Amino acid sequence: MYIVRYADDFKVFCRKRSDADKVSIAVKQWLKDRLSLEISEEKSKVVNLKKHYSEFLGFKLKAVRKGGKLVVGSHMSDKALKRETEKLKAQVINIEHSDERKTIGVRVNQYNLMVMGIHNYYRYATKISSDCAKIQFIINTVLYNRLKKDITKSCKSSRCRIFQQYAKSKMLRYICETPIYPIGYVQTKNPMDKKKMICKYTAEGREEIHRNLKLNETVMTVLHMLARAYLPNRSVEYMDNRISLYAAQYGKCAVIGKVLWIDEIHCHHKKPISQGGTDKYKNLIIVHIDVHKLIHATKPETIQAYLDKIKPDKSQLEKINKLRVLAGNTAI
């Protein structure tokens, strides 16, 4: 059997009905004896997935035939479909009752966030496009009944920003020069596969997690040292981002790829503080101390000395030059 759990909600999948009946009794008894928990009889039942849907975390699942084998066919659950439709309808009414033009834009953006939230959560359902098409039909009726005068098919404003995910949609409409994202414009997305052996509750599972992280003993040691380090002239944001970057780069220099020990680590500001740069994560990069000196070097003899020391290849030199230009220096 296979167990899939999220918080206190779980499914047990079996091949045979007889196994499922035994597991159902065993699970109820175990939870009652060990944890003093009673299972809801209304929500807990044995279901034949070849004939009926089973709900889980807002989805409903069924085994369907495809290419001579059984695969998962999934939709938004009926409750989720009704709930999300009602929320969007309420927000459309909220937009209609806006008093000022500025308020309309804010409320349309709130509607857009709701649409993006639905898409991001439910896009793993194999039939999400048909589910969202049903919602789109209902919402379109409400939109055109209540906001017909304000809806346009195009926008003349150059400041109008459209999230890339919806930019090519022919269903895109505008309300007071603000795009209103189409709930029906969505495609299913395959969930990322995860090895069955990955599990934080077993020694083998934890070992696999660490192997996937690619953090060796040296990197883990340096991470602990960075966490305990204190630089009086640096912000908390800088110190935190330095640790995050070192882990994200697997302890390696972003230019030459060497695993760095504590005294070789330099956290470089892509845009210097003197030029308005910040300590934000995207403005920082972990490099080797010699690479850092080469990025900031201006004297020809100093540049040549570090080039001879590092011996960068063509690709590495391109990275160094990009960082030099961002720092306000000329490319080598």
Side-chain angles (χ1 to χ4, degrees):
M1 65 183 187
Y2 296 93
I3 300 175
V4 180
R5 182 180 72 87
Y6 182 82
D8 63 342
D9 201 354
F10 65 92
K11 294 285 181 187
V12 181
F13 296 94
C14 305
R15 292 187 180 276
K16 297 186 293 184
R17 175 75 189 218
S18 57
D19 291 341
D21 289 332
K22 292 174 186 176
V23 169
S24 178
I25 295 168
V27 167
K28 292 176 183 177
Q29 191 171 344
W30 191 90
L31 287 172
K32 186 175 181 180
D33 295 345
R34 295 291 190 90
L35 303 178
S36 301
L37 292 174
E38 295 284 349
I39 283 184
S40 170
E41 294 294 338
E42 183 184 347
K43 295 181 180 178
S44 304
K45 55 186 176 181
V46 177
V47 176
N48 184 342
L49 289 176
K50 293 179 183 178
K51 297 180 180 179
H52 305 286
Y53 281 101
S54 179
E55 293 189 6
F56 187 56
L57 304 177
F59 296 84
K60 61 178 185 179
L61 319 168
K62 189 178 181 183
V64 296
R65 291 211 167 269
K66 183 178 180 181
K69 61 180 181 180
L70 289 171
V71 298
V72 174
S74 51
H75 289 266
M76 292 175 67
S77 70
D78 297 337
K79 288 181 182 177
L81 191 71
K82 184 178 179 180
R83 181 180 65 247
E84 300 301 345
T85 303
E86 292 302 318
K87 284 183 180 179
L88 291 176
K89 284 169 63 178
Q91 185 60 20
V92 170
I93 295 170
N94 203 16
I95 294 168
E96 181 195 16
H97 293 157
S98 302
D99 297 327
E100 301 177 7
R101 193 180 186 87
K102 185 177 179 181
T103 309
I104 291 176
V106 171
R107 293 183 179 180
V108 171
N109 283 330
Q110 288 174 344
Y111 174 92
N112 290 340
L113 289 174
M114 293 166 69
V115 170
M116 292 172 70
I118 293 168
H119 287 171
N120 289 337
Y121 185 80
Y122 292 104
R123 61 183 172 174
Y124 298 105
T126 59
K127 304 294 183 182
I128 185 60
S129 57
S130 62
D131 294 335
C132 285
K134 294 176 184 177
I135 301 176
Q136 181 79 57
F137 179 79
I138 296 169
I139 295 302
N140 276 351
T141 303
V142 179
L143 275 170
Y144 283 94
N145 282 343
R146 293 180 174 273
L147 297 163
K148 187 175 182 179
K149 294 180 181 179
D150 298 314
I151 296 175
T152 59
K153 289 187 177 181
S154 60
C155 177
K156 297 178 182 179
S157 175
S158 58
R159 294 181 296 175
C160 180
R161 294 184 178 181
I162 304 170
F163 194 67
Q164 190 176 2
Q165 182 179 340
Y166 304 96
K168 295 181 180 180
S169 173
K170 293 181 180 179
M171 295 186 283
L172 194 65
R173 296 293 183 268
Y174 301 84
I175 296 177
C176 296
E177 298 185 346
T178 303
I180 183 162
Y181 296 157
I183 184 67
Y185 189 72
V186 62
Q187 287 183 321
T188 187
K189 181 179 179 181
N190 291 329
M192 293 177 64
D193 292 330
K194 192 168 80 169
K195 293 181 181 177
K196 295 174 186 175
M197 67 181 296
I198 292 179
C199 175
K200 62 183 178 181
Y201 301 110
T202 64
E204 296 81 6
R206 289 192 292 272
E207 187 178 342
E208 188 65 26
I209 291 171
H210 294 148
R211 188 181 294 113
N212 289 343
L213 289 172
K214 299 178 184 177
L215 300 181
N216 59 32
E217 216 171 294
T218 300
V219 175
M220 293 301 295
T221 302
V222 174
L223 276 173
H224 287 299
M225 296 170 77
L226 288 174
R228 293 195 298 269
Y230 171 69
L231 298 177
N233 298 324
R234 295 295 186 185
S235 67
V236 173
E237 184 180 28
Y238 173 90
M239 300 298 286
D240 285 347
N241 286 334
R242 185 172 70 150
I243 296 169
S244 299
L245 275 167
Y246 185 78
Q249 295 177 203
Y250 304 116
K252 297 178 181 179
C253 170
V255 174
I256 61 175
K258 178 188 175 185
V259 175
L260 304 177
W261 186 244
I262 187 70
D263 59 353
E264 297 175 318
I265 298 170
H266 269 222
C267 190
H268 168 69
H269 288 82
K270 296 175 186 176
K271 184 177 181 180
I273 297 290
S274 59
Q275 296 178 19
T278 66
D279 289 335
K280 292 189 179 298
Y281 184 91
K282 63 182 180 181
N283 192 47
L284 300 175
I285 189 170
I286 297 290
V287 293
H288 188 278
I289 181 174
D290 292 337
V291 173
H292 196 210
K293 289 180 178 179
L294 182 56
I295 291 168
H296 290 289
T298 54
K299 294 181 180 179
E301 59 271 21
T302 306
I303 292 173
Q304 190 57 53
Y306 280 106
L307 283 174
D308 294 340
K309 191 173 182 180
I310 298 168
K311 294 182 174 58
D313 58 28
K314 185 179 178 181
S315 174
Q316 293 169 349
L317 189 59
E318 286 178 359
K319 292 177 183 178
I320 290 170
N321 281 331
K322 283 182 181 179
L323 293 170
R324 280 180 63 83
V325 171
L326 286 172
N329 293 326
T330 56
I332 300 169

